[in-house]
Amino acid sequence: MSKIANKQVICDVLLDAAKEDKEVMVLCSDSRGSASLSPFADELPEQFVEVGIAEQNLVSIATGLSRCLRNGFRLWAFLETVMGLYLDRTAGKREN
């Protein structure tokens, strides 16, 4: 059985979904290469948003999109799955 990296599978699934539904968007925080999202960005640039190194802004943009788009729940669920790991790690590093 051949092995495919999880991040490649995520990109493939998102690409297939976005081809069928123009409201499927990918938000990226300057990680299109490391997250294997380059194929998505190249094929569907109008559905790809690069926010740069600004994860907090990415969450805000995703929240706004989830309120405006029909498929907002799916967008937010994906964001929460992926970014939630990051947000949990960074929140634990804060010192008061």
Side-chain angles (χ1 to χ4, degrees):
M1 173 166 71
S2 64
K3 294 184 179 182
I4 301 173
N6 287 348
K7 58 188 179 178
Q8 184 60 50
V9 173
I10 290 170
C11 181
D12 293 345
V13 168
L14 285 171
L15 195 51
D16 290 343
K19 287 177 183 175
E20 292 181 21
D21 184 350
K22 296 296 181 195
E23 287 190 356
V24 172
M25 298 181 70
V26 169
L27 306 176
C28 183
S29 59
D30 202 30
S31 58
R32 87 174 57 188
S34 61
S36 295
L37 293 171
S38 292
F40 190 103
D42 293 341
E43 195 162 336
L44 298 171
E46 68 282 355
Q47 291 170 255
F48 185 85
V49 179
E50 176 65 70
V51 299
I53 303 173
E55 288 82 0
Q56 184 174 355
N57 291 342
L58 185 144
V59 172
S60 297
I61 293 166
T63 302
L65 286 171
S66 72
R67 297 280 298 167
C68 296
L69 299 176
R70 179 176 50 83
N71 69 8
F73 178 76
R74 288 182 289 167
L75 175 112
W76 184 251
F78 176 74
L79 172 76
E80 190 158 328
T81 301
V82 175
M83 287 301 294
L85 301 173
Y86 171 80
L87 295 171
D88 279 348
R89 279 186 296 155
T90 57
K93 291 181 183 177
R94 292 186 182 195
E95 294 183 25
N96 295 328

